[in-house]
């Protein structure tokens, strides 16, 4: 587990962040503490080594129902998203 990823999650918890960038940390799994960020509307998981995403990531309890949630998980190991994860919207990379 990347200590920088854990530090970003802790900072997001402290600030009540709605966006979190965990791109390119080489994560094999998502840190449990990520589940405590119930207000996230944008999550970038690009470029890790994830093979699956936890079901809680797509639960309506976990994210605000009144805002569209956006997930970026490209360039990971191949995985199939479970039905709750499909409720997220993917978002493109920023133009250079």
């Amino acid at each position: 587990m990347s200590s920088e990823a854990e530090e970003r999650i802790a900072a997001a918890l402290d600030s009540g962040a709605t966006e979190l960038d965990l791109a390119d940390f080489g994560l094999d799994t998502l840190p449990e503490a990520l589940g405590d960020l119930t207000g996230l509307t944008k999550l970038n998981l690009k470029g890790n080594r994830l093979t699956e995403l936890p079901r809680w990531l797509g639960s309506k309890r976990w994210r605000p129902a009144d805002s569209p949630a956006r997930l970026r998980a490209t360039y990971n190991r191949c995985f199939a998203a479970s039905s709750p994860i499909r409720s997220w919207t993917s978002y493109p990379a920023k133009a250079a």
Side-chain angles (χ1 to χ4, degrees):
M1 180 69 55
S2 166
S3 62
E4 187 176 348
E6 291 172 342
E7 289 173 11
R8 284 192 185 186
I9 292 169
L13 281 166
D14 288 343
S15 69
T18 58
E19 297 183 9
L20 182 61
D21 185 354
L22 296 179
D24 302 312
F25 282 113
L27 300 173
D28 292 316
T29 59
L30 293 180
E32 288 292 322
L34 186 60
D36 296 331
L37 289 168
T38 57
L40 282 186
T41 59
K42 189 173 182 181
L43 177 60
N44 186 358
L45 300 174
K46 178 190 85 60
N48 287 291
R49 295 182 299 225
L50 300 170
T51 58
E52 63 183 0
L53 296 175
R55 293 188 66 78
W56 54 258
L57 190 60
S59 77
K60 292 194 185 297
R61 175 201 63 78
W62 188 72
R63 62 183 175 82
D66 60 344
S67 75
R70 299 175 66 121
L71 172 67
R72 184 166 189 214
T74 56
Y75 301 105
N76 277 281
R77 293 184 178 169
C78 185
F79 63 83
S82 63
S83 294
I85 303 302
R86 291 186 192 127
S87 66
W88 284 69
T89 307
S90 64
Y91 65 95
K94 292 181 180 176

